[in-house]
PDB file of all heavy atoms in Angstrom:
ATOM      1  N   GLY A 399     114.908 324.974 142.351  1.00 88.00           N
ATOM      2  CA  GLY A 399     116.112 325.516 141.838  1.00 88.00           C
ATOM      3  C   GLY A 399     117.377 324.817 142.299  1.00 88.00           C
ATOM      4  O   GLY A 399     118.321 324.573 141.509  1.00 88.00           O
ATOM      5  N   THR A 400     117.403 324.495 143.577  1.00 91.00           N
ATOM      6  CA  THR A 400     118.516 323.797 144.126  1.00 91.00           C
ATOM      7  C   THR A 400     118.741 322.429 143.439  1.00 91.00           C
ATOM      8  O   THR A 400     119.855 322.025 143.056  1.00 91.00           O
ATOM      9  CB  THR A 400     118.336 323.575 145.642  1.00 91.00           C
ATOM     10  OG1 THR A 400     118.227 324.845 146.248  1.00 91.00           O
ATOM     11  CG2 THR A 400     119.501 322.845 146.247  1.00 91.00           C
ATOM     12  N   ARG A 401     117.684 321.667 143.302  1.00 89.00           N
ATOM     13  CA  ARG A 401     117.711 320.297 142.721  1.00 89.00           C
ATOM     14  C   ARG A 401     118.082 320.372 141.298  1.00 89.00           C
ATOM     15  O   ARG A 401     118.914 319.536 140.802  1.00 89.00           O
ATOM     16  CB  ARG A 401     116.413 319.592 142.958  1.00 89.00           C
ATOM     17  CG  ARG A 401     116.080 319.299 144.421  1.00 89.00           C
ATOM     18  CD  ARG A 401     114.657 318.870 144.675  1.00 89.00           C
ATOM     19  NE  ARG A 401     114.430 317.582 144.012  1.00 89.00           N
ATOM     20  CZ  ARG A 401     113.241 317.019 143.944  1.00 89.00           C
ATOM     21  NH1 ARG A 401     112.210 317.596 144.487  1.00 89.00           N
ATOM     22  NH2 ARG A 401     113.068 315.819 143.435  1.00 89.00           N
ATOM     23  N   VAL A 402     117.484 321.306 140.572  1.00 88.00           N
ATOM     24  CA  VAL A 402     117.826 321.380 139.142  1.00 88.00           C
ATOM     25  C   VAL A 402     119.248 321.839 138.823  1.00 88.00           C
ATOM     26  O   VAL A 402     119.936 321.198 138.072  1.00 88.00           O
ATOM     27  CB  VAL A 402     116.838 322.400 138.452  1.00 88.00           C
ATOM     28  CG1 VAL A 402     117.234 322.687 137.002  1.00 88.00           C
ATOM     29  CG2 VAL A 402     115.415 321.836 138.453  1.00 88.00           C
ATOM     30  N   VAL A 403     119.709 322.850 139.579  1.00 92.00           N
ATOM     31  CA  VAL A 403     121.080 323.331 139.320  1.00 92.00           C
ATOM     32  C   VAL A 403     122.105 322.279 139.725  1.00 92.00           C
ATOM     33  O   VAL A 403     123.016 321.988 138.953  1.00 92.00           O
ATOM     34  CB  VAL A 403     121.336 324.612 140.171  1.00 92.00           C
ATOM     35  CG1 VAL A 403     122.828 324.975 140.156  1.00 92.00           C
ATOM     36  CG2 VAL A 403     120.519 325.721 139.674  1.00 92.00           C
ATOM     37  N   LEU A 404     121.931 321.563 140.886  1.00 92.00           N
ATOM     38  CA  LEU A 404     122.890 320.562 141.260  1.00 92.00           C
ATOM     39  C   LEU A 404     122.875 319.372 140.256  1.00 92.00           C
ATOM     40  O   LEU A 404     123.898 318.895 139.929  1.00 92.00           O
ATOM     41  CB  LEU A 404     122.546 320.052 142.668  1.00 92.00           C
ATOM     42  CG  LEU A 404     122.807 321.046 143.800  1.00 92.00           C
ATOM     43  CD1 LEU A 404     122.347 320.434 145.133  1.00 92.00           C
ATOM     44  CD2 LEU A 404     124.279 321.425 143.864  1.00 92.00           C
ATOM     45  N   SER A 405     121.681 318.980 139.851  1.00 90.00           N
ATOM     46  CA  SER A 405     121.596 317.861 138.897  1.00 90.00           C
ATOM     47  C   SER A 405     122.164 318.170 137.541  1.00 90.00           C
ATOM     48  O   SER A 405     122.975 317.412 136.940  1.00 90.00           O
ATOM     49  CB  SER A 405     120.111 317.445 138.768  1.00 90.00           C
ATOM     50  OG  SER A 405     119.603 317.015 139.962  1.00 90.00           O
ATOM     51  N   PHE A 406     121.771 319.311 137.011  1.00 88.00           N
ATOM     52  CA  PHE A 406     122.163 319.712 135.724  1.00 88.00           C
ATOM     53  C   PHE A 406     123.705 319.988 135.578  1.00 88.00           C
ATOM     54  O   PHE A 406     124.275 319.665 134.580  1.00 88.00           O
ATOM     55  CB  PHE A 406     121.379 320.988 135.262  1.00 88.00           C
ATOM     56  CG  PHE A 406     121.406 321.238 133.821  1.00 88.00           C
ATOM     57  CD1 PHE A 406     120.588 320.487 132.936  1.00 88.00           C
ATOM     58  CD2 PHE A 406     122.201 322.217 133.204  1.00 88.00           C
ATOM     59  CE1 PHE A 406     120.563 320.679 131.618  1.00 88.00           C
ATOM     60  CE2 PHE A 406     122.235 322.411 131.807  1.00 88.00           C
ATOM     61  CZ  PHE A 406     121.436 321.648 131.049  1.00 88.00           C
ATOM     62  N   THR A 407     124.237 320.594 136.640  1.00 91.00           N
ATOM     63  CA  THR A 407     125.667 320.927 136.560  1.00 91.00           C
ATOM     64  C   THR A 407     126.634 319.772 137.004  1.00 91.00           C
ATOM     65  O   THR A 407     127.666 319.620 136.440  1.00 91.00           O
ATOM     66  CB  THR A 407     125.937 322.172 137.432  1.00 91.00           C
ATOM     67  OG1 THR A 407     125.563 321.912 138.809  1.00 91.00           O
ATOM     68  CG2 THR A 407     125.264 323.379 136.887  1.00 91.00           C
ATOM     69  N   LEU A 408     126.137 318.944 137.974  1.00 93.00           N
ATOM     70  CA  LEU A 408     127.116 317.957 138.542  1.00 93.00           C
ATOM     71  C   LEU A 408     126.872 316.581 138.055  1.00 93.00           C
ATOM     72  O   LEU A 408     127.813 315.736 138.115  1.00 93.00           O
ATOM     73  CB  LEU A 408     127.003 318.019 140.049  1.00 93.00           C
ATOM     74  CG  LEU A 408     127.392 319.298 140.790  1.00 93.00           C
ATOM     75  CD1 LEU A 408     127.274 319.254 142.297  1.00 93.00           C
ATOM     76  CD2 LEU A 408     128.876 319.691 140.405  1.00 93.00           C
ATOM     77  N   ALA A 409     125.588 316.203 137.623  1.00 91.00           N
ATOM     78  CA  ALA A 409     125.372 314.869 137.161  1.00 91.00           C
ATOM     79  C   ALA A 409     126.322 314.465 135.976  1.00 91.00           C
ATOM     80  O   ALA A 409     126.840 313.326 135.957  1.00 91.00           O
ATOM     81  CB  ALA A 409     123.923 314.669 136.756  1.00 91.00           C
ATOM     82  N   PRO A 410     126.553 315.313 134.995  1.00 90.00           N
ATOM     83  CA  PRO A 410     127.455 314.960 133.919  1.00 90.00           C
ATOM     84  C   PRO A 410     128.869 314.696 134.407  1.00 90.00           C
ATOM     85  O   PRO A 410     129.639 313.996 133.748  1.00 90.00           O
ATOM     86  CB  PRO A 410     127.443 316.174 132.969  1.00 90.00           C
ATOM     87  CG  PRO A 410     126.156 316.841 133.237  1.00 90.00           C
ATOM     88  CD  PRO A 410     125.889 316.656 134.723  1.00 90.00           C
ATOM     89  N   ILE A 411     129.270 315.217 135.587  1.00 92.00           N
ATOM     90  CA  ILE A 411     130.581 315.029 136.098  1.00 92.00           C
ATOM     91  C   ILE A 411     130.642 313.929 137.143  1.00 92.00           C
ATOM     92  O   ILE A 411     131.452 313.004 137.037  1.00 92.00           O
ATOM     93  CB  ILE A 411     131.080 316.354 136.822  1.00 92.00           C
ATOM     94  CG1 ILE A 411     131.018 317.500 135.826  1.00 92.00           C
ATOM     95  CG2 ILE A 411     132.437 316.197 137.427  1.00 92.00           C
ATOM     96  CD1 ILE A 411     131.260 318.852 136.447  1.00 92.00           C
ATOM     97  N   VAL A 412     129.718 313.942 138.088  1.00 90.00           N
ATOM     98  CA  VAL A 412     129.681 312.989 139.229  1.00 90.00           C
ATOM     99  C   VAL A 412     129.050 311.656 138.771  1.00 90.00           C
ATOM    100  O   VAL A 412     129.447 310.598 139.188  1.00 90.00           O
ATOM    101  CB  VAL A 412     128.980 313.517 140.400  1.00 90.00           C
ATOM    102  CG1 VAL A 412     128.896 312.570 141.564  1.00 90.00           C
ATOM    103  CG2 VAL A 412     129.680 314.822 140.919  1.00 90.00           C
ATOM    104  N   GLY A 413     127.995 311.773 137.962  1.00 91.00           N
ATOM    105  CA  GLY A 413     127.251 310.581 137.524  1.00 91.00           C
ATOM    106  C   GLY A 413     125.763 310.825 137.816  1.00 91.00           C
ATOM    107  O   GLY A 413     125.307 311.771 138.462  1.00 91.00           O
ATOM    108  N   ILE A 414     124.966 309.822 137.397  1.00 91.00           N
ATOM    109  CA  ILE A 414     123.507 309.917 137.503  1.00 91.00           C
ATOM    110  C   ILE A 414     123.045 310.034 138.964  1.00 91.00           C
ATOM    111  O   ILE A 414     121.962 310.594 139.286  1.00 91.00           O
ATOM    112  CB  ILE A 414     122.789 308.740 136.813  1.00 91.00           C
ATOM    113  CG1 ILE A 414     121.299 308.976 136.671  1.00 91.00           C
ATOM    114  CG2 ILE A 414     123.075 307.449 137.544  1.00 91.00           C
ATOM    115  CD1 ILE A 414     120.587 307.892 135.854  1.00 91.00           C
ATOM    116  N   GLN A 415     123.823 309.528 139.881  1.00 92.00           N
ATOM    117  CA  GLN A 415     123.456 309.480 141.339  1.00 92.00           C
ATOM    118  C   GLN A 415     123.265 310.955 141.848  1.00 92.00           C
ATOM    119  O   GLN A 415     122.552 311.177 142.840  1.00 92.00           O
ATOM    120  CB  GLN A 415     124.457 308.749 142.181  1.00 92.00           C
ATOM    121  CG  GLN A 415     125.877 309.356 142.202  1.00 92.00           C
ATOM    122  CD  GLN A 415     126.767 308.728 141.131  1.00 92.00           C
ATOM    123  OE1 GLN A 415     126.297 308.277 140.096  1.00 92.00           O
ATOM    124  NE2 GLN A 415     128.058 308.726 141.385  1.00 92.00           N
ATOM    125  N   MET A 416     123.862 311.966 141.201  1.00 93.00           N
ATOM    126  CA  MET A 416     123.673 313.370 141.678  1.00 93.00           C
ATOM    127  C   MET A 416     122.222 313.784 141.590  1.00 93.00           C
ATOM    128  O   MET A 416     121.790 314.646 142.387  1.00 93.00           O
ATOM    129  CB  MET A 416     124.542 314.289 140.795  1.00 93.00           C
ATOM    130  CG  MET A 416     124.690 315.709 141.378  1.00 93.00           C
ATOM    131  SD  MET A 416     125.592 315.588 142.949  1.00 93.00           S
ATOM    132  CE  MET A 416     124.680 316.763 143.948  1.00 93.00           C
ATOM    133  N   VAL A 417     121.408 313.142 140.757  1.00 91.00           N
ATOM    134  CA  VAL A 417     120.002 313.480 140.564  1.00 91.00           C
ATOM    135  C   VAL A 417     119.281 313.222 141.833  1.00 91.00           C
ATOM    136  O   VAL A 417     118.472 314.025 142.303  1.00 91.00           O
ATOM    137  CB  VAL A 417     119.415 312.741 139.444  1.00 91.00           C
ATOM    138  CG1 VAL A 417     117.896 312.953 139.374  1.00 91.00           C
ATOM    139  CG2 VAL A 417     120.008 313.165 138.066  1.00 91.00           C
TER     140      VAL A 417
END
Side-chain angles (χ1 to χ4, degrees):
T400 301
R401 295 168 65 185
V402 169
V403 170
L404 290 177
S405 299
F406 197 76
T407 58
L408 296 181
I411 301 170
V412 177
I414 191 174
Q415 62 267 29
M416 195 63 221
V417 173

